[in-house]
Amino acid sequence: NMKKFKYIYGPVSSWRLGSSLGVDPLSQEDKICTYDCSYCQIGETMLFSSERKIFAPTEVILREISTLPRNLKIDYITFSGNGEPTLAKNLGIMIKRIKKMRKEKIAVITNASLIDRSDVQDDLSQADFVLLKFDANAEDLFVAINRPSPGIRFGDIVKGIKKFSAMYKGRLALQVMLVKKN
């Protein structure tokens, strides 16, 4: 009966996260992303953006989560979905508020494109587990594989990951998609 929800989905079974309830803080229509990765399973990016804004009101997402049964068997509530979750300007506040409502750990699956921004680092530091995409080891390979929106640079991401990992207290993972190019 998850059909009535617009922003939450699952729980889905994940080898990293166990039973994971998905939260899509963006939308249900077109994928909104900072990348147009050559291998994306969601398909082509129609809405290219690197601007953080509120796509889904915090209260609406919290209302959906509040209707879940207390005893629902989930290991993580995972921010992911139809695009890049750190584009949601209300990500940090949503994580804080969910932690007051539920006992499960919170994960964020991000492509790390905005990780050099201090507001994004603050938001991600609220989560228990952050999974960062890292598919390349140089700018040219990064551009070829991840096809970033203008202004997103490989060097900034590397700096951002170093800075974030030095201050972050939770569990951190890099996710590498192996493709022919890398």
Side-chain angles (χ1 to χ4, degrees):
N1 67 352
M2 296 294 274
K3 301 252 184 301
K4 63 184 186 293
F5 295 121
K6 187 168 158 61
Y7 299 105
I8 64 177
Y9 56 93
V12 292
S13 181
S14 153
W15 64 271
R16 279 183 230 80
L17 300 165
S19 177
S20 166
L21 180 87
V23 180
D24 180 354
L26 300 173
S27 76
Q28 294 295 293
E29 310 308 318
D30 293 317
K31 178 177 84 167
I32 303 161
C33 200
T34 47
Y35 290 172
D36 185 18
C37 293
S38 51
Y39 58 78
C40 185
Q41 74 271 23
I42 301 170
E44 213 180 322
T45 299
M46 295 304 170
L47 298 169
F48 241 138
S49 179
S50 55
E51 186 202 342
R52 296 191 85 200
K53 52 185 196 225
I54 292 179
F55 297 90
T58 304
E59 296 308 326
V60 176
I61 290 180
L62 293 174
R63 193 174 318 127
E64 288 193 3
I65 290 170
S66 73
T67 65
L68 297 170
R70 278 267 160 251
N71 60 353
L72 186 65
K73 280 271 170 264
I74 45 179
D75 300 304
Y76 280 93
I77 295 173
T78 306
F79 283 86
S80 169
N82 204 10
E84 174 47 40
T86 63
L87 283 170
K89 204 178 179 150
N90 52 345
L91 179 63
I93 193 77
M94 284 190 278
I95 295 171
K96 276 186 189 148
R97 299 269 307 273
I98 292 168
K99 285 189 153 197
K100 289 192 169 98
M101 295 163 59
R102 305 275 317 175
K103 63 188 182 321
E104 294 87 3
K105 287 182 165 17
I106 309 262
V108 181
I109 300 176
T110 170
N111 67 19
S113 58
L114 306 177
I115 192 76
D116 63 316
R117 295 181 48 151
S118 59
D119 58 334
V120 171
Q121 292 176 7
D122 291 345
D123 285 359
L124 290 175
S125 68
Q126 309 298 321
D128 300 293
F129 189 6
V130 174
L131 298 94
L132 301 166
K133 178 196 291 289
F134 197 71
D135 296 333
N137 64 354
E139 181 76 31
D140 57 343
L141 204 54
F142 168 65
V143 169
I145 296 170
N146 301 123
R147 302 189 302 215
S149 66
I152 294 176
R153 305 262 176 273
F154 179 74
D156 295 336
I157 293 168
V158 172
K159 274 193 286 243
I161 289 174
K162 283 180 179 167
K163 194 173 169 213
F164 181 69
S165 66
M167 56 89 79
Y168 182 56
K169 304 280 185 272
R171 186 174 166 205
L172 190 62
L174 289 181
Q175 294 197 99
V176 179
M177 177 61 83
L178 296 173
V179 290
K180 264 205 169 62
K181 289 185 177 115
N182 64 4

